Amino acid sequence: MAIRQVIKIDQDKCVGCGLCASACHEGAIGIINKKATLLRDDYCDGLGNCLPHCPTGAISFEQREAADYNKEVAPKRVAEKNSAKPSGGCPGSMAKALVREGGPAGGGFGGGLASMPGKMDSMQPGKRGLAQNQNNGQMQSRLGQWPVQIKLVPVNAPYFDGARLLIAADCTAYAYANFHEDFIKGKVTIIGCPKLDDGDYADKLTAIIRENNIKSVTVVRMEVPCCGGIERAATEALKASGKFIPWQIVTISTDGTIID
């Protein structure tokens, strides 16, 4: 036993997504009762490969008395981890780009707002028809990546490189009928509800904007007062990032129209 650096997991912040467990090279982290848990001190090398993968900032370092890192057992843990079937956590929260017909997936999306700030006429209700799938006449999804929840999306992902970022209150997609075509198309979309989610989005949004090559930011919120939280978090993040990025805020009324 010695005083050394090991990871510490805040169970209150952990959402059980499993990204840290996947990132840990030693298999030191497991998902127990839907929460990330350090399985044994001697599995943790104290290097913190898991830290940047945590979407909620639940993992940190601490100096404490802990068993020495076991260099002999680590290769065995890695082999077990690579051969085992995935278990625990949330496989659906793993970051991935979605390939859409007629356009690139991930960073460097085309389309979107032609000028910022300022609202395009094409964003007004009724100005553009719904995208139709040529084979069956159904609407085409414009979502270009997964996950979309602010709390689950990783800070660093390839699709953020050169992205036009859409930060949307989750109710907006239900209120505004043409949301995919007028807002999601050509952008990386992240959503949240400041009233229902615990904590503040500002720190997470700051990290995403600061650490990636974001080309523009569009914030879409509802007219209701509680939606001001997502606008405030986004504007604070833009300022804290230290970057000058074109941005705009669009407000949707409860009857589904855009408010100037």
Side-chain angles (χ1 to χ4, degrees):
M1 300 286 284
I3 301 297
R4 70 181 186 93
Q5 179 173 275
V6 292
I7 63 163
K8 179 181 179 181
I9 303 173
D10 187 330
Q11 297 290 296
D12 291 332
K13 291 183 178 179
C14 178
V15 295
C17 67
L19 294 176
C20 58
S22 298
C24 179
H25 295 164
E26 285 71 36
I29 302 174
I31 305 298
I32 300 177
N33 295 327
K34 299 182 180 179
K35 296 286 185 178
T37 304
L38 178 60
L39 300 177
R40 276 176 42 175
D41 289 352
D42 61 340
Y43 291 167
C44 179
D45 60 9
L47 297 179
N49 290 321
C50 53
L51 265 70
H53 294 270
C54 178
T56 64
I59 304 177
S60 60
F61 287 122
E62 65 175 346
Q63 293 280 347
R64 63 173 175 83
E65 188 175 56
D68 293 335
Y69 172 57
N70 193 327
K71 296 181 179 180
E72 295 182 0
V73 77
K76 298 178 182 179
R77 293 287 300 166
V78 173
E80 291 173 1
K81 177 183 173 184
N82 290 338
S83 63
K85 295 182 180 180
S87 62
C90 178
S93 66
M94 297 298 290
K96 60 182 177 181
L98 305 176
V99 179
R100 297 295 181 193
E101 185 177 354
F109 279 138
L113 301 179
S115 61
M116 290 189 177
K119 185 165 57 203
M120 294 176 61
D121 289 340
S122 61
M123 291 171 61
Q124 299 296 335
K127 290 290 185 74
R128 191 186 303 169
L130 298 177
Q132 300 292 321
N133 184 302
Q134 294 181 354
N135 295 326
N136 56 22
Q138 293 182 349
M139 288 181 61
Q140 179 180 346
S141 173
R142 296 300 185 179
L143 189 64
Q145 101 290 336
W146 187 265
V148 295
Q149 287 286 342
I150 295 173
K151 284 200 166 187
L152 296 180
V153 70
V155 169
N156 300 106
Y159 50 70
F160 280 130
D161 185 24
R164 299 183 181 198
L165 182 63
L166 172 65
I167 304 170
D170 50 17
C171 290
T172 55
Y174 294 94
Y176 187 80
N178 217 26
F179 198 82
H180 275 251
E181 284 299 300
D182 290 348
F183 292 106
I184 294 179
K185 183 179 180 181
K187 300 184 185 69
V188 168
T189 302
I190 56 177
I191 68 170
C193 176
K195 185 171 184 178
L196 299 181
D197 284 341
D198 293 329
D200 190 353
Y201 298 138
D203 290 343
K204 181 73 173 287
L205 295 177
T206 299
I208 290 173
I209 295 171
R210 178 188 291 149
E211 298 182 22
N212 296 281
N213 180 28
I214 302 297
K215 295 299 186 183
S216 65
V217 175
T218 302
V219 181
V220 184
R221 56 161 293 183
M222 295 298 297
E223 64 176 330
V224 294
C226 57
C227 242
I230 202 162
E231 177 180 338
R232 179 195 54 76
T235 53
E236 286 185 5
L238 283 162
K239 293 176 183 177
S241 71
K243 295 183 177 181
F244 180 76
I245 299 175
W247 64 282
Q248 93 168 44
I249 296 171
V250 179
T251 303
I252 307 294
S253 69
T254 53
D255 65 1
T257 58
I258 293 177
I259 300 174
D260 291 330

